[in-house]
Amino acid sequence: MNRRSSTELAGSTGLGAWAAFGVLTMVVVGAHGAPLFLDDALLHWSLGHRPAVALAVARGLTATGTGVVPYALVAVAALVAGRTARQRLVAVLLGAVCLGAGQAARYGVMELVARARPPLPDWRTHASGWAYPSGHSTTAALTAGLVILAVRVRAPRGRTPICLAVGCWGMLVGLTRVHLGVHWFTDVLGGWLFAVGWLGICLCAAAWWLPARLVTGPADTTNAVNTANTANTADTNDTADRTDPAHSAGPADSNDPTSSYSYSDSDSTGASREEHASQDPGRRGRPRPA
């Protein structure tokens, strides 16, 4: 996919996600932070399905959606995506900036909306700050998106299962926040939409403004030169074939009068003889002496 197509796809996806996020945010603000559709139902279901094993798994998953883990995953994905040292450095920096700036922007929205969390007695893990949008959900979704992008860039085969696994991890981190009672479901949904919108805008900006010299390494340049040399060699050979008399000349035309005249041949005694076209009995003129 070329740069223009990448820019259009990323930009349209990001704007669509942020449009949906804006609508959901206005609904949350209009309801003054009260629970919305599915919020109460999912929280009550979580309260009745909390065995010790499920709580331990939920706490383990939710811990991977914050702190150092997301940045480490993004850094590893960036190192895999780059082909040269320069590409890897640029990818690591861009991934870290995208993730860090997204977290900061989400924090600003959270302070503006100031939505209260579910009741404290329902909590099964530590939480701080306002509820909307969910920080763990936003961070995990951003991380999953960057890792999936790196996998699709570098993995020629078997990338679909990896992308599905990473995407499921990002969704599960958000759902654990509801299961542990520290977020409403619409907080998680808002975090997902915000992450998709932010990632789309970042990819659009990178595809539009990033100079080609920052993403084109020596290996890519060598491949381009080799491709050009191969094309030039093929053109030269084709031109030589078209201009070679041995290739361009076809078989003698039997209707051509000049094709019936003599040519030299040697018999078994080495004597040269001359072959002539057969004489027409009704031909006028004196026959040639034998």
Side-chain angles (χ1 to χ4, degrees):
M1 186 178 295
N2 57 31
R3 176 168 291 197
R4 181 175 180 179
S5 300
S6 301
T7 304
E8 292 176 353
L9 178 61
S12 59
T13 303
L15 290 177
W18 262 0
F21 174 75
V23 172
L24 180 60
T25 302
M26 288 189 292
V27 173
V28 170
V29 172
H32 303 287
L36 301 178
F37 51 92
L38 295 179
D39 283 343
D40 279 324
L42 289 177
L43 180 61
H44 290 155
W45 183 90
S46 299
L47 293 176
H49 297 80
R50 286 178 173 176
V53 176
L55 285 176
V57 172
R59 291 191 183 103
L61 278 174
T62 202
T64 62
T66 187
V68 180
V69 175
Y71 286 92
L73 292 175
V74 170
V76 172
L79 293 175
V80 172
R83 292 181 174 86
T84 64
R86 180 174 61 182
Q87 289 179 346
R88 294 187 183 99
L89 177 60
V90 171
V92 170
L93 292 177
L94 290 178
V97 169
C98 177
L99 183 57
Q103 289 178 318
R106 189 232 34 119
Y107 186 84
V109 175
M110 180 189 70
E111 290 294 329
L112 289 175
V113 176
R115 186 187 194 186
R117 292 179 181 269
L120 184 60
D122 298 335
W123 293 13
R124 291 299 179 269
T125 189
H126 173 73
S128 61
W130 300 105
Y132 182 89
S134 169
H136 283 68
S137 303
T138 303
T139 302
L142 278 175
T143 304
L146 292 172
V147 173
I148 289 173
L149 178 63
V151 171
R152 291 190 64 84
V153 167
R154 286 306 305 271
R157 293 177 297 178
R159 62 188 181 185
T160 300
I162 299 176
C163 293
L164 288 176
V166 174
C168 290
W169 167 79
M171 294 184 63
L172 287 174
V173 169
L175 293 177
T176 58
R177 306 304 288 171
V178 179
H179 186 72
L180 295 173
V182 293
H183 274 292
W184 305 107
F185 175 73
T186 46
D187 299 336
V188 175
L189 181 60
W192 290 342
L193 292 174
F194 182 88
V196 173
W198 183 262
L199 185 60
I201 297 302
C202 289
L203 293 178
C204 179
W208 186 262
W209 283 301
L210 192 65
R213 61 184 176 82
L214 294 181
V215 295
T216 303
D220 298 331
T221 305
T222 303
N223 292 335
V225 171
N226 292 337
T227 303
N229 290 337
T230 303
N232 291 336
T233 303
D235 293 340
T236 302
N237 293 337
D238 183 59
T239 303
D241 291 341
R242 285 187 279 105
T243 57
D244 188 358
H247 291 276
S248 60
D253 189 357
S254 59
N255 296 325
D256 186 1
T258 61
S259 64
S260 62
Y261 281 96
S262 62
Y263 62 93
S264 297
D265 189 13
S266 298
D267 55 12
S268 58
T269 60
S272 176
R273 61 194 175 110
E274 188 177 32
E275 294 287 346
H276 299 277
S278 59
Q279 300 296 329
D280 186 359
R283 181 178 178 182
R284 294 182 180 179
R286 231 170 36 175
R288 296 179 62 184

